[in-house]
């Protein structure tokens, strides 16, 4: 009589995406699952623009996380494009994780997204209650009940409802355990060492953008775009002391915003450079010389030509 062990179970591999209104903890959760910083996290809503994939490697499975921008009612051409990206992604993944923060009651933004999710019939959906470290057990219980009710109202059958805290690392591996069985059987989709398939230049740009967003006044979050013009190894360096030259432009929409980014006597831009350089060096595993310039691209969010140039 043969006993089927865990290891002889079929390997699974597939795509999952986290959805939720802006700032619902999607990027932080992606990073916690992958165990390294791949998606940018910021306490500014609506900061993820590229579909950053994080890859969770396990003996029994490979879970590829697609981090989409938050879905919201669009106000600009950029907003419309982002929403199209979101819907396309939802229809192509194997499982959708709907993130709802534990510390905020279900609001119109959540209902809007849940309504859109209800339209996508075939894809299994997991409700993930994020930021559980911020609430007591009574508040959490009330939120779990509210999510269950929301599903019944809209005809969504949750495959699972799970509370997690990415910050406290609570239940994060359990979440992976619950997502894996929802993936199709098949071999790994990416080589073992890969954590993301985003081109390095895009990730470097995101890290600079994250640093530029920090501590900036509220009117700026959407106005910043970063383009890495080139990344070149410094030619005259010995092999054991490499240096990578990274040239990047920080684009804003109006000349009046330039001073905010640069700061008095260039202090703010210097801080942005120092902060992002540390993250870039950690990401690329090599010392970096970062050359940053601030440029004005007038009203780029509303101009199709500029959007294309800035990679949207």
């Amino acid at each position: 009589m043969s006993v089927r062990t865990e290891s002889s179970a079929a390997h699974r591999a597939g795509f999952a995406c986290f959805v939720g209104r802006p700032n619902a903890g999607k990027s932080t959760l992606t990073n916690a699952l992958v165990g390294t910083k791949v998606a940018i996290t910021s306490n500014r809503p609506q900061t993820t623009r590229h579909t950053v994939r994080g890859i969770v490697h396990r003996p029994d499975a490979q879970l590829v996380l697609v981090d989409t921008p938050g879905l919201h009612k669009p106000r600009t051409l950029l907003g419309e494009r982002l929403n199209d990206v979101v819907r396309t992604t939802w229809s192509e993944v194997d499982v959708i994780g709907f993130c709802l923060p534990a510390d905020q009651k279900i609001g119109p933004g959540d209902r809007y997204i849940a309504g859109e999710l209800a339209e996508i019939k075939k894809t299994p959906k997991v409700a993930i209650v994020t930021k559980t470290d911020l609430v007591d057990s009574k508040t959490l219980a009330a939120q779990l009940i509210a999510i269950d009710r929301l599903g019944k109202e809209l005809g969504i059958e949750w495959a699972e409802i799970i509370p997690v805290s990415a910050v406290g690392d609570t239940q994060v591996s359990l979440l992976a355990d619950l997502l894996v069985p929802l993936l199709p059987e098949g071999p790994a989709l990416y080589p073992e060492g890969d954590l993301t398939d985003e081109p390095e230049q895009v990730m470097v740009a995101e890290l600079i953008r994250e640093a530029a967003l920090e501590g900036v006044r509220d009117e700026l979050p959407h106005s910043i775009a970063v383009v890495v013009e080139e990344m070149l190894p410094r030619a005259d360096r010995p092999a054991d002391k490499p240096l990578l030259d990274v040239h990047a432009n920080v684009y804003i929409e109006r000349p009046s915003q330039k001073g905010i980014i640069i700061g008095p006597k260039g202090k703010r831009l210097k801080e942005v450079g120092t902060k992002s350089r540390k993250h870039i060096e950690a990401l690329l595993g090599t010392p970096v010389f970062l050359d940053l310039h601030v440029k004005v691209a007038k009203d780029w969010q509303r101009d199709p030509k500029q959007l294309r140039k800035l990679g949207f």
Side-chain angles (χ1 to χ4, degrees):
M1 177 184 133
S2 72
V3 179
R4 188 172 183 207
T5 60
E6 216 31 53
S7 61
S8 64
H11 186 276
R12 293 177 181 274
F15 295 86
C17 79
F18 294 141
V19 306
R21 62 189 151 99
N23 212 7
K26 303 180 291 287
S27 296
T28 310
L29 196 54
T30 299
N31 293 341
L33 277 163
V34 177
T36 183
K37 196 178 176 82
V38 287
I40 74 162
T41 55
S42 160
N43 56 7
R44 300 246 167 270
Q46 216 39 46
T47 51
T48 311
R49 292 209 179 121
H50 295 278
T51 306
V52 178
R53 295 175 175 80
I55 304 165
V56 182
H57 300 274
R58 295 165 48 120
D60 59 333
Q62 191 179 68
L63 175 66
V64 183
L65 302 167
V66 187
D67 191 31
T68 55
L71 189 83
H72 58 105
K73 294 195 167 130
R75 285 188 298 273
T76 60
L77 178 63
L78 174 65
E80 279 169 39
R81 286 208 188 157
L82 291 177
N83 281 359
D84 292 343
V85 169
V86 175
R87 290 196 189 86
T88 310
T89 304
W90 290 6
S91 56
E92 289 168 354
V93 297
D94 301 299
V95 55
I96 299 170
F98 182 23
C99 296
L100 296 124
D103 63 333
Q104 295 163 40
K105 284 199 159 73
I106 291 174
D110 302 312
R111 286 183 181 281
Y112 175 67
I113 294 167
E116 297 279 331
L117 279 179
E119 299 297 305
I120 296 162
K121 300 291 182 215
K122 287 188 184 133
T123 317
K125 298 157 199 80
V126 174
I128 305 165
V129 187
T130 58
K131 310 188 184 185
T132 56
D133 53 301
L134 301 179
V135 299
D136 57 23
S137 54
K138 197 174 150 198
T139 311
L140 179 57
Q143 187 73 321
L144 294 171
I145 292 164
I147 291 167
D148 184 51
R149 200 176 294 139
L150 179 69
K152 290 197 171 85
E153 262 173 49
L154 296 169
I156 301 171
E157 195 174 319
W158 304 118
E160 305 277 354
I161 299 178
I162 174 172
V164 299
S165 163
V167 175
D169 205 16
T170 311
Q171 306 241 82
V172 172
S173 57
L174 176 64
L175 173 61
D177 293 343
L178 295 176
L179 293 173
V180 163
L182 301 169
L183 303 177
E185 293 186 1
L189 302 160
Y190 291 87
E192 180 79 32
D194 288 10
L195 292 172
T196 172
D197 74 347
E198 272 296 287
E200 282 179 345
Q201 263 173 261
V202 173
M203 290 183 71
V204 167
E206 290 284 278
L207 288 170
I208 296 167
R209 190 162 168 266
E210 179 180 17
L213 278 171
E214 231 165 86
V216 166
R217 279 189 253 151
D218 292 344
E219 71 266 24
L220 240 57
H222 299 286
S223 310
I224 299 175
V226 176
V227 176
V228 173
E229 297 296 337
E230 57 178 17
M231 290 180 12
L232 295 167
R234 183 81 58 93
D236 52 1
R237 304 283 288 202
D240 59 341
K241 285 200 177 131
L243 183 67
L244 187 70
D245 285 318
V246 177
H247 300 278
N249 291 328
V250 178
Y251 288 96
I252 46 185
E253 294 193 292
R254 293 187 297 281
S256 61
Q257 296 170 337
K258 215 167 173 173
I260 300 174
I261 289 290
I262 294 171
K265 295 187 176 164
K267 188 168 168 247
R268 173 119 181 60
L269 189 65
K270 216 173 184 166
E271 281 167 12
V272 170
T274 308
K275 194 153 200 170
S276 55
R277 196 184 75 238
K278 279 189 193 132
H279 287 308
I280 295 164
E281 289 180 339
L283 173 76
L284 303 176
T286 178
V288 163
F289 172 79
L290 181 59
D291 177 38
L292 280 185
H293 292 274
V294 180
K295 299 195 169 184
V296 179
K298 201 167 168 344
D299 292 330
W300 65 263
Q301 292 192 59
R302 295 168 198 283
D303 177 350
K305 226 160 59 207
Q306 304 240 42
L307 279 170
R308 269 199 303 282
K309 186 182 148 198
L310 298 174
F312 299 111

